[in-house]
């Protein structure tokens, strides 16, 4: 169970990073990505696209970190129970 949670957490972190660097476009204009938005003046349509991209990346990264934290806590609890 612990390895599955940790593995899923790592996968979610990698997916979140990949989504963060994925380029977003609106109305044929490159808006950049969640981590590196396009420089200069961009159309207002980019605001919504970038906001939703940033939200998705944040949710996926936080889920990955939470899964890794749960895996670590379960390991610590299991190790403590074995010692007692």
């Amino acid at each position: 169970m612990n390895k599955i949670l940790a593995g899923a957490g790592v996968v979610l972190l990698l997916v979140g990073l990949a989504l963060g660097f994925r380029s977003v476009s609106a109305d044929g204009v490159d808006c950049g990505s969640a981590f590196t938005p396009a420089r200069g003046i961009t159309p207002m349509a980019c605001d919504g696209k970038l906001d939703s991209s940033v939200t998705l990346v944040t949710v996926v990264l936080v889920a990955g970190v939470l899964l890794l934290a749960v895996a670590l806590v379960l390991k610590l609890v299991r190790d403590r129970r074995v010692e007692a």
Side-chain angles (χ1 to χ4, degrees), residues 6-66:
V10 169
V11 167
L12 282 176
L13 286 176
L14 293 175
V15 168
L17 288 174
L19 286 174
F21 287 111
R22 183 179 56 114
S23 183
V24 177
S25 63
D27 297 331
V29 176
D30 182 30
C31 300
S33 67
F35 293 146
T36 56
R39 298 199 187 281
I41 298 173
T42 57
M44 289 190 67
C46 283
D47 293 341
K49 293 279 189 170
L50 286 174
D51 284 344
S52 63
S53 178
V54 168
T55 302
L56 177 65
V57 168
T58 303
V59 167
V60 172
L61 289 176
V62 167
V65 168
L66 287 176

Side-chain angles (χ1 to χ4, degrees), residues 54-82:
V54 168
T55 302
L56 177 65
V57 168
T58 303
V59 167
V60 172
L61 289 176
V62 167
V65 168
L66 287 176
L67 283 176
L68 286 173
V70 168
L72 178 65
V73 167
L74 286 177
K75 179 176 176 15
L76 292 174
V77 167
R78 187 171 294 142
D79 289 348
R80 179 169 267 169
R81 190 180 307 162
V82 168

